[in-house]
Amino acid sequence: MLASAGLLQTSLIWVAYAVAVALVLLVAVITTFTWQSPHERSVTVSIVAIVSLTSLLATVFLLPVDIALVSSTASAHLGAKKDWATPDRVDGILLTLKIVYYTLYSFDALLCLIVIPFAYFWYEEYDEVEEEEGTSGAGTRFWKAAKYTLGFVFLVLILFLVGFFVPAAGSGNGKHLDLDYFKRLLAANKGEKALTFGVGLLITLGTFLYTLYTGAGLALLPVSLIKSAPSISAPQLSATTATDLEHNRELQRQIEMRNAGRPDGMSQKDRRELDALLREERTLVRRERLAAEARGDGRSGIFRAWTKVQAVFRPLKLLGGILLLLLSILVWTSMLITGIDKAANSICKEHCGYILGHINVFQPVNWIFVQSAKAFPVDYILMALLVLFFFSSSITGIATIGIRFLWVRIFQIKKGRTTPQALLIATVMLALIILAINYAIAMIVAPQYAIYGTQTFCVNAPRHPGEQPDCREHRDMVRPCSEAFSEPAAKDVCTPTVMSTFLNRVTINWPVFGAIDFWAQFAFLGVFMVVFVTSLFRTPRLNLSELDEEAEVDEEEGLLASTSRRFGATWGDITGRTKNRQERNGYGTAVGSGSNGRG
């Protein structure tokens, strides 16, 4: 009976994870088709991007499952293992987690180091002229793409060989290794050390991207939601532009008819007015085309449906932005507290990547998770939302900053305008960033909760040797699990999560990676603060200026900057209809007067 109860609880956790992965697949499809340019769409790139994003999100959502499973084996109120959680059952749960972790991370590595580079070169080698002439077929493209991809395979082999032969640097660095927890981390064969070296290097590379892109995105995501007040709707913009274009061409016909048959030609005044109307016509034609794109004309049904959904929830953006802003500040404060606590009170300092034995200062995020664990499964839902928030912030940062080499922008990530090459490179960047996010959440954001979840142990002496301590009458003797405790009861009850164990193994065996990853968190906090303060005082650009980015500067000032925001834009985007003729005439007059003022 007890065994079936434990099986039911663990099964429910895995079922919830399966549902989350199904939702993740939907998110990956929407993200890919929303951001990808419809004019340069490739079936191969789309499939690779969808599969990669699904795998990455499934990997990042495995951390809450890891915490939930190890927490389910112990009673947080009694500080003891549950009756069904025998050592064999706990080992089975950990083995299952390890298999899923290794499978997902191996699949992610396969995608990022082989499949995505191959898809990139496969797309690059396509030549429409050669395809039509028959000089380049699928076999030639495949060979060229495979040839370039081999470079990434050799890179992986070199990294693995370096980690296999170079001795680990974290052996014998102080008295902290006398604790059983650290002894278990150092007990690894050469294959495991090579794996920890490769993962440690990738985490460090991802930390640099995480510092820039996630740090900026964590500040920009809530601020952008707060400042994204509804502008004029796409259907109304299209209607007013058509009216203005018709009026513009009518004025051109009047000038041409007025000067028809004149022997001395058109007057200078009419010529200047006609030139101004021609420039205005070009801008209006561009705006009409871009408004049609914003409305979803010529786009997939998924893009149009997503546009409608965004319009429905547009009024909630302000409230959501404020809540996310408070969450960002809370996370920033908690990370700063943990960073200072680790720097000052780490039991082994730089020798093990600043592992903290136990929290010495009140940490808000960790406290929220521990308290919410009293109402199952609120803490697991909160952890999943926190992971998703970091992931969404990373996407926001990549979309805002773009793909750059130093200060040179190589690719721009923009909704509906992202090229296939940029989409694939962004996917690889997200894979590296996810490794850094796992490190940040497990080691900095909620260190105690991410390592042991809600597990506690009882320090009351057992009645008989070999029995579990009993704290049913001594609740004050229940202690939260921590790496620093060496009591036998803690060893028997506290089971660290698989993710935290692997990360700590990386930082102990290769302390240089742990030190870089730890101090990079302060750079992350600095990037967040700079971007946050800057975005508070920066005036947001109108959507029209983004749509009409191809227009010349003087035309944007005359025609685009004069476009005021209208109430009812949300309803217009939902229904696909304009408000009324009177508003359209008023808007058209405003645009016309603005352009005439510049002429």
Side-chain angles (χ1 to χ4, degrees):
M1 186 67 180
L2 293 174
S4 60
L7 180 62
L8 177 62
Q9 187 173 1
T10 56
S11 299
L12 287 176
I13 294 174
W14 283 114
V15 169
Y17 177 68
V19 173
V21 172
L23 295 176
V24 156
L25 175 61
L26 179 62
V27 171
V29 172
I30 293 175
T31 302
T32 300
F33 283 98
T34 300
W35 289 84
Q36 195 175 30
S37 172
H39 306 296
E40 301 181 77
R41 184 166 294 165
S42 168
V43 176
T44 303
V45 173
S46 299
I47 293 175
V48 170
I50 291 172
V51 173
S52 300
L53 288 175
T54 303
S55 178
L56 293 175
L57 285 170
T59 303
V60 80
F61 273 115
L62 192 57
L63 179 59
V65 175
D66 191 0
I67 298 172
L69 287 174
V70 297
S71 297
S72 67
T73 62
S75 172
H77 303 291
L78 301 179
K81 284 292 186 185
K82 295 180 180 177
D83 294 335
W84 62 266
T86 61
D88 291 338
R89 290 292 301 275
V90 174
D91 291 340
I93 291 174
L94 296 179
L95 178 61
T96 303
L97 277 171
K98 288 179 182 178
I99 292 174
V100 177
Y101 265 118
Y102 285 143
T103 301
L104 282 176
Y105 275 108
S106 300
F107 186 62
D108 292 341
L110 178 68
L111 288 171
C112 296
L113 298 174
I114 296 180
V115 177
I116 293 179
F118 179 83
Y120 181 93
F121 295 122
W122 172 269
Y123 181 82
E124 281 286 331
E125 290 300 323
Y126 175 75
D127 192 314
E128 187 176 356
V129 177
E130 292 183 356
E131 289 285 340
E132 292 177 354
E133 294 177 353
T135 58
S136 176
T140 305
R141 288 179 64 193
F142 180 87
W143 168 245
K144 291 181 178 179
K147 180 174 61 176
Y148 294 129
T149 308
L150 286 177
F152 291 90
V153 177
F154 285 124
L155 177 63
V156 175
L157 291 177
I158 291 173
L159 291 178
F160 186 83
L161 290 175
V162 169
F164 188 85
F165 289 107
V166 175
S171 57
N173 280 316
K175 63 180 182 180
H176 64 277
L177 297 179
D178 294 334
L179 298 175
D180 292 333
Y181 177 78
F182 296 99
K183 288 181 179 179
R184 291 195 298 269
L185 294 179
L186 284 172
N189 55 42
K190 287 188 175 181
E192 289 176 331
K193 289 180 180 178
L195 180 62
T196 57
F197 175 83
V199 174
L201 180 60
L202 293 178
I203 290 176
T204 303
L205 294 176
T207 299
F208 292 116
L209 299 175
Y210 154 87
T211 299
L212 177 62
Y213 290 103
T214 311
L218 198 69
L220 290 172
L221 179 59
V223 173
S224 63
L225 291 177
I226 293 174
K227 290 188 174 184
S228 62
S231 60
I232 186 167
S233 66
Q236 182 146 339
L237 174 62
S238 179
T240 54
T241 302
T243 302
D244 297 334
L245 187 59
E246 181 181 356
H247 178 67
N248 177 284
R249 289 170 176 169
E250 178 62 28
L251 292 177
Q252 292 185 48
R253 284 193 293 269
Q254 291 178 9
I255 294 176
E256 291 172 352
M257 291 177 61
R258 187 166 63 241
N259 291 275
R262 293 184 59 175
D264 54 347
M266 189 177 297
S267 64
Q268 292 294 330
K269 178 182 178 181
D270 288 344
R271 172 60 60 186
R272 288 194 299 270
E273 187 175 354
L274 182 61
D275 290 341
L277 289 173
L278 289 173
R279 289 195 300 270
E280 180 182 303
E281 181 187 19
R282 287 194 298 270
T283 300
L284 290 172
V285 169
R286 280 194 296 266
R287 181 188 293 180
E288 189 175 43
R289 174 177 58 83
L290 294 172
E293 291 182 3
R295 196 171 59 247
D297 295 352
R299 300 291 183 90
S300 63
I302 295 177
F303 184 91
R304 293 194 297 270
W306 180 246
T307 302
K308 301 291 185 183
V309 171
Q310 285 183 315
V312 169
F313 290 100
R314 190 179 289 164
L316 300 178
K317 279 188 174 182
L318 177 60
L319 178 59
I322 294 174
L323 294 177
L324 289 181
L325 180 60
L326 295 176
L327 176 60
S328 297
I329 296 174
L330 180 66
V331 169
W332 188 90
T333 305
S334 300
M335 293 180 69
L336 180 63
I337 291 174
T338 303
I340 296 175
D341 193 7
K342 283 196 168 191
N345 303 309
S346 173
I347 57 180
C348 47
K349 301 294 183 180
E350 69 277 2
H351 300 301
C352 63
Y354 294 89
I355 292 179
L356 186 64
H358 57 86
I359 295 178
N360 299 279
V361 185
F362 175 74
Q363 214 265 34
V365 171
N366 194 86
W367 180 83
I368 289 174
F369 278 116
V370 173
Q371 296 302 315
S372 62
K374 298 176 181 178
F376 177 85
V378 175
D379 55 328
Y380 309 136
I381 296 175
L382 291 179
M383 175 57 73
L385 293 177
L386 179 64
V387 169
L388 185 61
F389 179 48
F390 270 86
F391 185 81
S392 302
S393 300
S394 304
I395 295 179
T396 302
I398 293 176
T400 304
I401 300 173
I403 300 174
R404 297 174 180 265
F405 178 74
L406 299 179
W407 59 88
V408 180
R409 174 177 286 178
I410 302 175
F411 291 109
Q412 185 178 12
I413 308 296
K414 194 171 183 180
K415 195 172 296 184
R417 294 173 178 268
T418 305
T419 61
Q421 300 96 319
L423 190 64
L424 292 173
I425 294 177
T427 304
V428 175
M429 293 170 62
L430 285 173
L432 295 174
I433 290 174
I434 280 176
L435 292 174
I437 289 176
N438 279 336
Y439 172 86
I441 292 179
M443 300 290 119
I444 304 295
V445 179
Q448 180 183 339
Y449 177 80
I451 295 176
Y452 288 105
T454 60
Q455 295 177 93
T456 58
F457 69 97
C458 177
V459 295
N460 188 26
R463 296 179 181 177
H464 304 285
E467 291 185 355
Q468 284 198 86
D470 189 356
C471 280
R472 283 177 292 186
E473 304 296 332
H474 306 278
R475 297 295 177 89
D476 57 324
M477 303 184 73
V478 175
R479 303 285 186 270
C481 289
S482 171
E483 303 99 314
F485 285 110
S486 57
E487 288 86 348
K491 179 182 177 180
D492 296 335
V493 176
C494 300
T495 304
T497 58
V498 174
M499 173 56 66
S500 66
T501 301
F502 188 78
L503 291 176
N504 284 332
R505 178 168 289 153
V506 170
T507 57
I508 285 183
N509 285 285
W510 308 98
V512 61
F513 294 145
I516 293 174
D517 297 340
F518 170 72
W519 289 109
Q521 305 304 316
F522 290 96
F524 171 89
L525 298 177
V527 170
F528 171 88
M529 183 56 62
V530 170
V531 175
F532 175 67
V533 174
T534 304
S535 60
L536 287 180
F537 299 99
R538 182 183 177 187
T539 304
R541 293 181 299 173
L542 293 176
N543 291 341
L544 286 180
S545 63
E546 297 177 2
L547 286 175
D548 206 12
E549 60 184 0
E550 300 176 3
E552 297 177 3
V553 175
D554 57 339
E555 292 175 341
E556 287 182 345
E557 292 177 354
L559 290 173
L560 304 185
S562 63
T563 303
S564 60
R565 298 188 174 200
R566 298 293 182 192
F567 294 106
T570 300
W571 181 249
D573 276 332
I574 297 173
T575 61
R577 296 192 298 270
T578 59
K579 287 286 288 183
N580 52 57
R581 185 70 181 179
Q582 181 180 2
E583 289 186 3
R584 290 203 303 269
N585 290 338
Y587 175 74
T589 304
V591 175
S593 61
S595 61
N596 290 338
R598 284 190 55 81

